[in-house]
Amino acid sequence: MSSPSALSLGIDIGGTFTDVVVYAHDTGRSLSHKELTTPAAPHEGVITGVRRLFEREGLSYAAVERVVHATTLFTNALIERKGAPTGLITTAGFRDTLEIAREHKYELYDLHIEMPAALVPRHLRLEVPERTGPDGTIITALDEAALVARAGELVAAGVQSVAIIFLHAYANPANEKQARVALATAYPQLFVSISSEVSPQIREYERSVTTVANAYVKPLADGYLDLMTGEIRAIGIKAPLFMMLSNGGLTHVDEAKRVPIQLLESGPAAGALAGAYFGERSSIEDVLAFDMGGTTAKLAIIDGGEPMIAHQFEASRQKRLTEGSGLPISISTIELIEIGAGGGSIAHVDPLGLIKVGPESAASTPGPACYGRGGTQPTVTDANLVLGYLDPATFAGGTIELDVARAKAAIAPLAEQAGISIPEMAWGIHSIVNENMAAAARVHVAERGHTASRFAMLLTGGGGPLHGCEVAQRLGATRVVCPPGAGVASALGLLMAPARVDRMATVAKPISRTDWRELEGLYAQLEAEAFAVIDATLPDHPSAPRVLRSADMRFVGQGFEIVTTLPAGPYTDASAKTFAEAFKAAYRQMFSQVMPLGDVEIVNIRIAATVEATASGLASTAVAAGGASALAGRHQVWVGARKRYEDVPVYSRERLAAGETIQGPALVQEASSTLVLPADSQARVDSSGSLIIDLALAGEAGASESAGASNLNTNALS
């Protein structure tokens, strides 16, 4: 591909691989490369991957007009507790908010329960005289001398970043803003986060956790983003760097550095966007976007063509699937579930003698045994190689040559313990990890009031096409979509992302006492703030931003709210009925019935402003019929339904013509991933180049395989 006039570059750093994608604006074509992630210095893997792709394809760095980046770096810093030394300065009497939390045990009868540890230890949580009332009245002015003295104590203790969290600052941020100015003067080297900017809403504990988490990763984000910007410029790319946000939008680097907590779920959000985008290209609006990489698998619900958005999620859970065991982070994020299952997930025997897979991962260092980089434990990738699903020479575009002998050697001890053959154990590992993912996905979909069978499953990530068809069967889904370049689709999703800004404010008033002109003014103010960020991100955006208004509402006296979508303004006294009807409709959808009496309260108001970042979409990847045959050969592959190796056809994805059909069992290979088609399935290439797979007898196959996996899991060592 000769260098076009304009390029966009997408970079997605995962736990095992860093994906690099280039998109050509004039032709709509894309090119990609997978590079092993370098955990100790993530930018090194990025720059190596970019260089290799551009040199391989003869591209010009000067042609790049936009760089969009997603990373798990900040999430990992929270999980691994590797953020900056952080302090907290709060209102006198409130230093223990982080410890008291909600006084709620996520497992009531666990006598040895471990609650999530606070990011700031008690000796670094200090108090100052100040007080603001819930109505915004300043009851006690900030004691600035005491503030500076307390900050001095924190600096002496080695603190690099400080969170300022004053009581009721969401109602009036004056004291917090005064504190930030005072600290900038006295200690300019300190990073400062104030709650009225990071999380301006009621609920002291959630606001405190979110602000502290922002402070915890802020020095890391500041240094990393400066480093990445410099490294990209050093190789000749002068285009601006944009960051993917957890809400599925993108923003400029300065905004990302100001509130880096917004970046926590940036990588998974890109996968969900890719799911929505490729589903729309195939005219499928209801999609389960399944993205499986080397370390984790993610699943997001795309309902009616739009990803579901949540305004709070839990980070760093003590127990991955247990609600309440993590840190509540109040940011807008694409709602999804993350599962500790990926190509690097390690198979092991638990204390009861049962075979388990994950959540521990070999990641990229040392990696699965078959990588030949020092790993010796059996992983999902080793199992897939033994089963014949991976080509040792072309894996990850030839980035790594896989070693079948090492994979078998790693699996052999488990097979010997279980008294079964190595291929049977490999199939067991493959089946168990599929059931783990299906079980988590099944609960996630049901908890949101949906049935998986009405969705198509869309596969992305290096492991999505390998495992997705069987996971779909276990869920009862009968249709699967595998887009072109599925292995790097998340990075491609970055380039399809709009600029998006979410803003919110606390109102806390019943509808019956709402000043509608004042409420309209608050919405207009939030929109103006959002438009300013969008203009700074995309100064030449081709269209006006699209604005969605919503509110967190509840019946007066209830403890929690429902996010309710609202019609566009302006609002007047006549809007009271509209607001109440919208809330009751949302309430009915969630709880099936509505209380006949009771005033409705508006707690928080929200706006989401978006504008498309690119005017053109991807070109179709399907070739014209009548070209070279897509059949690349045949290969010995384990067919799970028949529990034996069979000689199955292997197709080259790049040569599949629009309208062509493939019968399973078969493999479809491309540079970034391999699609495993099970027996009794049929795949068809649609006009956009995506493979649409129909899974025959999905219910029976899923039940049969689940039973097989369950028997193996329970009886393998009996």
Side-chain angles (χ1 to χ4, degrees):
M1 176 178 179
S2 60
S3 183
S5 58
L7 301 173
S8 286
L9 174 63
I11 302 165
D12 183 17
I13 301 179
T16 303
F17 284 99
T18 293
D19 296 338
V20 181
V21 170
V22 167
Y23 164 73
H25 295 199
D26 56 353
T27 65
R29 307 293 288 181
S30 65
L31 296 166
S32 63
H33 174 75
K34 294 182 85 72
E35 185 72 25
L36 274 173
T37 295
T38 49
H43 67 281
E44 292 180 1
V46 169
I47 298 304
T48 300
V50 171
R51 286 186 183 276
R52 288 180 174 172
L53 176 59
F54 275 64
E55 289 171 5
R56 186 186 77 205
E57 302 295 340
L59 303 175
S60 168
Y61 295 126
V64 177
E65 293 189 347
R66 185 168 58 114
V67 182
V68 186
H69 182 27
T71 177
T72 57
L73 183 65
F74 312 122
T75 303
N76 294 342
L78 280 183
I79 294 171
E80 299 169 10
R81 293 297 198 267
K82 292 182 178 178
T86 302
L88 165 65
I89 299 178
T90 189
T91 305
F94 287 86
R95 70 185 294 195
D96 291 321
T97 297
L98 294 179
E99 298 283 1
I100 296 170
R102 286 279 171 197
E103 296 186 317
H104 168 73
K105 292 177 67 175
Y106 57 86
E107 289 188 350
L108 186 61
Y109 301 108
D110 185 349
L111 298 180
H112 305 286
I113 192 170
E114 292 186 28
M115 300 302 289
L119 293 173
V120 181
R122 193 172 194 271
H123 72 278
L124 297 180
R125 302 197 300 263
L126 305 180
E127 302 174 350
V128 294
E130 77 83 39
R131 190 71 175 236
T132 300
D135 61 352
T137 302
I138 302 294
I139 299 171
T140 303
L142 172 65
D143 186 333
E144 200 168 298
L147 171 79
V148 173
R150 297 293 178 271
E153 295 175 35
L154 294 176
V155 170
V159 163
Q160 298 174 8
S161 186
V162 172
I164 305 293
I165 305 166
F166 291 158
L167 192 64
H168 301 308
Y170 61 85
N172 184 348
N175 280 358
E176 283 194 348
K177 290 183 176 181
Q178 180 185 349
R180 180 172 57 185
V181 172
L183 292 188
T185 302
Y187 300 102
Q189 77 278 18
L190 267 182
F191 290 89
V192 178
S193 299
I194 63 175
S195 71
S196 52
E197 285 191 355
V198 175
S199 181
Q201 56 186 303
I202 63 168
R203 295 203 168 91
E204 199 68 16
Y205 173 59
E206 287 81 356
R207 183 163 62 95
S208 297
V209 170
T210 305
T211 308
V212 165
N214 189 79
Y216 190 67
V217 300
K218 194 167 187 175
L220 176 66
D222 192 84
Y224 173 77
L225 293 176
D226 283 345
L227 177 62
M228 184 62 73
T229 301
E231 292 288 332
I232 289 172
R233 288 191 176 280
I235 63 173
I237 296 176
K238 307 304 181 186
L241 173 65
F242 300 114
M243 297 300 297
M244 168 65 74
L245 300 173
S246 300
N247 61 16
L250 56 86
T251 192
H252 58 86
V253 168
D254 288 342
E255 176 68 9
K257 289 163 68 174
R258 186 181 70 86
V259 192
I261 199 70
Q262 298 179 90
L263 308 177
L264 279 193
E265 294 291 282
S266 62
L273 285 178
Y277 178 77
F278 285 110
E280 181 184 17
R281 276 165 57 96
S282 295
S283 301
I284 301 175
E285 289 191 334
D286 299 329
V287 168
L288 299 179
F290 175 64
D291 184 333
M292 182 180 179
T295 307
T296 59
K298 284 80 67 176
L299 184 130
I301 298 172
I302 313 298
D303 191 9
E306 294 288 339
M308 297 178 66
I309 300 292
H311 298 291
Q312 182 172 295
F313 80 103
E314 287 187 10
S316 187
R317 280 180 170 174
Q318 296 295 114
K319 294 189 176 181
R320 184 178 290 271
L321 299 179
T322 304
E323 186 176 352
S325 67
L327 301 173
I329 307 294
S330 298
I331 59 171
S332 296
T333 178
I334 288 180
E335 189 169 17
L336 47 80
I337 185 170
E338 290 195 54
I339 309 152
S345 294
I346 297 170
H348 61 282
V349 178
D350 75 2
L352 296 178
L354 305 178
I355 303 294
K356 297 295 177 71
V357 182
E360 296 81 9
S361 175
S364 61
T365 304
C370 60
Y371 282 14
R373 296 165 57 90
T376 58
Q377 295 178 289
T379 68
V380 172
T381 296
D382 294 312
N384 287 334
L385 181 60
V386 169
L387 295 171
Y389 299 157
L390 299 173
D391 185 338
T394 62
F395 178 72
T399 303
I400 304 171
E401 186 170 351
L402 303 182
D403 189 323
V404 180
R406 289 179 186 271
K408 290 181 176 179
I411 294 172
L414 288 184
E416 184 177 350
Q417 282 182 285
I420 58 179
S421 68
I422 290 175
E424 287 174 323
M425 177 53 69
W427 175 247
I429 293 171
H430 181 88
S431 298
I432 290 169
V433 77
N434 286 345
E435 180 56 31
N436 290 346
M437 293 186 291
R442 193 178 296 118
V443 172
H444 179 72
V445 172
E447 285 180 342
R448 279 133 192 92
H450 299 293
T451 303
S453 58
R454 83 172 178 87
F455 293 88
M457 180 169 279
L458 192 139
L459 312 179
T460 59
L466 283 168
H467 294 262
C469 287
E470 192 190 342
V471 172
Q473 286 179 321
R474 292 172 183 275
L475 286 173
T478 59
R479 176 164 290 188
V480 173
V481 181
C482 185
V488 293
S490 289
L492 197 53
L494 296 173
L495 303 181
M496 301 297 112
R500 172 171 175 145
V501 179
D502 287 73
R503 287 288 186 268
M504 60 86 58
T506 292
V507 174
K509 284 186 179 179
I511 286 179
S512 59
R513 293 197 289 109
T514 296
D515 182 326
W516 294 97
R517 180 174 297 181
E518 180 181 333
L519 184 70
E520 175 62 29
L522 285 173
Y523 270 109
Q525 180 181 337
L526 295 180
E527 289 169 7
E529 293 174 5
F531 293 167
V533 177
I534 285 178
D535 289 341
T537 303
L538 297 174
D540 300 319
H541 53 82
S543 59
R546 182 169 63 95
V547 178
L548 176 66
R549 290 183 173 187
S550 61
D552 301 351
M553 301 173 71
R554 65 187 181 188
F555 285 109
V556 172
Q558 289 185 323
F560 291 90
E561 305 80 47
I562 296 175
V563 179
T564 304
T565 301
L566 300 172
Y571 300 136
T572 64
D573 292 343
S575 300
K577 182 179 179 181
T578 303
F579 270 54
E581 289 176 349
F583 166 71
K584 289 177 181 179
Y587 196 96
R588 183 178 291 106
Q589 182 178 5
M590 181 169 291
F591 298 111
S592 299
Q593 57 183 342
V594 180
M595 293 189 297
L597 300 174
D599 198 0
V600 176
E601 182 180 12
I602 304 170
V603 179
N604 300 313
I605 61 171
R606 300 180 183 274
I607 66 99
T610 58
V611 65
E612 295 303 316
T614 180
S616 59
L618 289 175
S620 169
T621 61
V623 298
S629 172
L631 184 64
R634 303 187 71 84
H635 188 59
Q636 284 287 306
V637 168
W638 184 272
V639 179
R642 300 164 188 164
K643 296 181 171 55
R644 64 173 185 254
Y645 282 107
E646 293 186 10
D647 193 41
V648 307
V650 180
Y651 295 90
S652 171
R653 179 68 184 261
E654 292 76 12
R655 296 203 296 267
L656 286 173
E660 192 167 350
T661 59
I662 301 171
Q663 298 294 327
L667 300 181
V668 182
Q669 293 181 339
E670 60 182 331
S672 61
S673 64
T674 298
L675 172 66
V676 177
L677 289 175
D680 300 321
S681 67
Q682 177 177 284
R684 173 181 53 84
V685 185
D686 73 4
S687 58
S688 71
S690 288
L691 284 166
I692 311 298
I693 303 116
D694 291 315
L695 302 173
L697 304 176
E700 289 89 337
S704 173
E705 295 298 346
S706 293
S710 176
N711 289 338
L712 175 67
N713 194 41
T714 305
N715 303 320
L717 297 183
S718 61

